[in-house]
Structures are given as C-alpha cells and as structure tokens.
Amino acid sequence: MAKQLVVITGAGSGLGRALAIELCGQDLLVAGLGRRADALRETAALAGDSFTPVVADVSDAAQVRAAFDNIRTIAPVSILINNAGVYPHRDMLDETPESFMQTVAINLGGTVACTSEALKDMCEAGRGRILNVSSFADMHPLPCSAAYSVSKGAVTTFSRALVADLGDRLPKIVISTWMPGMLNTEMGLAEGLDPAVAAKWGAGLALWEDPSLNGAVFEMDREILPSRGLKGRLKDAVRLKSRKPRLIPT
C-alpha cells in the first residue's frame, strides 16, 4: 500500500516542525511548506528522508498552486494540516490596514489557498483529512493581538463552512479544528507546552479519519463538545445519557 502524503504548512519551525518530525517518524511522506529555505533544511535534517521541503509563501495563491503542483509529483495529497501562522504583537494604534490584512492573508488566506489545492486531490479520491490549527484568541483577545485574533477566529469559521459545503456530498473528507494550546515556540510562551508533546496529539488527530469527526473541535488532546440548549439537556437527563468528549489516540 502506498504511503500517505501529508502537507504541513509552517513547517520551518515550532509546531509545524514538530508535526513533520512526528509524522515522518510514523513512516508517512511529509511535504513541508515554509517561507525560509534554511529553516526548512533544518526541519529536513531532523525529520529524515521522508520530508520534502517546499519553499512557498502561503499568503500568495500563485506560490501555493505551484507548490502543490510540485508536491503532486511525489503523490496525491491525503492529509493537510493548515498550521502556518504569524502573531505580530501590535496595538491597533500601531496597525495599518495593510499590516492587519497581511496577517489575515497568512493566517486565513493561506488556509483557504492550501485547502483549495488539497481538495483537488481529495475530491478525486473521495476521501482525505483536513486539520485546521486555530485558537481561542477570537473569544478572548489579548492586548496587541487584534489581527491574530480576528484571523484565527475566521479559521474556525472556515472549518464550519467547509463542513457545510462538503459534509453531505463528501463525508469521507474529514475536516476538524484543533487548538493546541500555548506552546513554547517563537509565537508562544517560554512556560508553554513543548511542541513535541502537542505534535503527538496533532498527528494522532490528523491520522484519525472517522467521518464523525467532521466539524469536531479539539483543544490540546480532547474534544470540545458543542453547547447544548435547555431542551437538549433535558432530553439527556431523561435518557440518563450524556455525550463525553473524545480523547485523541496517540
């Protein structure tokens, strides 16, 4: 059986690099996108021969198309992890419309562009896995994070919109949102979680192809269940059953 090909964006550092190392270690082919060739070479040295570095700026749709054309010479895309993101710490008084929208172009536009390309292969195969890395930042924005919070919140909405468009017609293209938590990376905090630990959860979720995961949202290693209205809670009480959040297999 041919190996699955995983595309990871933002593979030059942080969580993207950790995901590439983890998935290559599980004997998958991984194509890692990033803007810096030197950083991707460092990832390749750590991940091994199963890793293919692909230099591309995900905010540029033409570069994304060219990147995926190159990747398809290896194999069709089976799994896409939209991980690339930037977190500029700028107060709104220091932002310009151009700087704000450049963050949106990377965090949201890159997700849209890469998803559009990956779906060409997935729709032809009738199956696939898309994992969009997002954040709770839209619900509780921190100071100096407006562009990041808006763009990451939009990524979560984009996941729901994808499921609305594809869920009935192509249920085996499984789309989920993952919030890995605060990590010890350039974008995170020194006291944050080791990205190698988070990568085990992300890899486990990306390889979990159950169609019931369509539209599911996970934080760190467990599912976040949608809120239930009063009527739904009463039904659960009468039936003496309630749904429990799923844990990511690792």
Side-chain angles (χ1 to χ4, degrees), residues 206-225:
L207 295 173
W208 193 4
E209 299 180 344
D210 186 343
S212 71
L213 293 170
N214 242 327
V217 179
F218 283 76
E219 181 186 14
M220 299 178 74
D221 66 339
R222 68 188 55 226
E223 184 179 13
I224 301 173
L225 296 178

Side-chain angles (χ1 to χ4, degrees), residues 172-196:
K172 290 185 179 180
I173 298 178
V174 183
I175 302 149
S176 303
T177 302
W178 179 46
M179 303 174 185
M182 294 300 294
L183 305 178
N184 180 7
T185 63
E186 292 177 7
M187 283 176 51
L189 299 172
E191 61 271 24
L193 183 70
D194 183 348

Side-chain angles (χ1 to χ4, degrees), residues 44-243:
L46 295 166
D49 293 340
S50 295
F51 180 81
T52 300
V54 182
V55 178
D57 181 346
V58 297
S59 69
D60 185 325
Q63 289 190 39
V64 169
R65 281 192 288 271
F68 273 78
D69 285 344
N70 288 333
I71 290 166
R72 288 189 188 97
T73 64
I74 304 169
V77 178
S78 299
I79 300 170
L80 170 65
I81 303 178
N82 280 309
N83 164 75
V86 293
Y87 188 172
H89 292 255
R90 282 193 294 263
D91 185 277
M92 269 305 296
L93 298 180
D94 297 320
E95 286 276 19
T96 64
E98 291 81 6
S99 66
F100 190 100
M101 292 310 296
Q102 179 57 27
T103 300
V104 174
I106 295 169
N107 294 356
L108 175 61
T111 296
V112 174
C114 291
T115 299
S116 178
E117 285 298 312
L119 282 173
K120 293 177 182 177
D121 292 345
M122 294 178 184
C123 289
E124 184 174 341
R127 63 187 308 115
R129 187 75 172 98
I130 298 174
L131 185 60
N132 292 326
V133 180
S134 189
S135 165
F136 274 122
D138 63 317
M139 298 177 65
H140 305 287
L142 295 173
C144 301
S145 69
Y148 176 82
S149 301
V150 168
S151 57
K152 280 298 186 180
V155 167
T156 301
T157 302
F158 180 62
S159 291
R160 293 197 296 265
L162 277 175
V163 173
D165 279 353
L166 303 177
D168 291 337
R169 287 179 292 162
L170 294 161
K172 290 185 179 180
I173 298 178
V174 183
I175 302 149
S176 303
T177 302
W178 179 46
M179 303 174 185
M182 294 300 294
L183 305 178
N184 180 7
T185 63
E186 292 177 7
M187 283 176 51
L189 299 172
E191 61 271 24
L193 183 70
D194 183 348
V197 174
K200 291 187 181 298
W201 300 331
L205 186 53
L207 295 173
W208 193 4
E209 299 180 344
D210 186 343
S212 71
L213 293 170
N214 242 327
V217 179
F218 283 76
E219 181 186 14
M220 299 178 74
D221 66 339
R222 68 188 55 226
E223 184 179 13
I224 301 173
L225 296 178
S227 59
R228 296 273 278 165
L230 177 59
K231 188 179 292 186
R233 294 198 300 271
L234 287 172
K235 285 182 179 178
D236 290 342
V238 169
R239 296 171 182 170
L240 298 177
K241 78 173 191 179
S242 60
R243 187 178 158 201

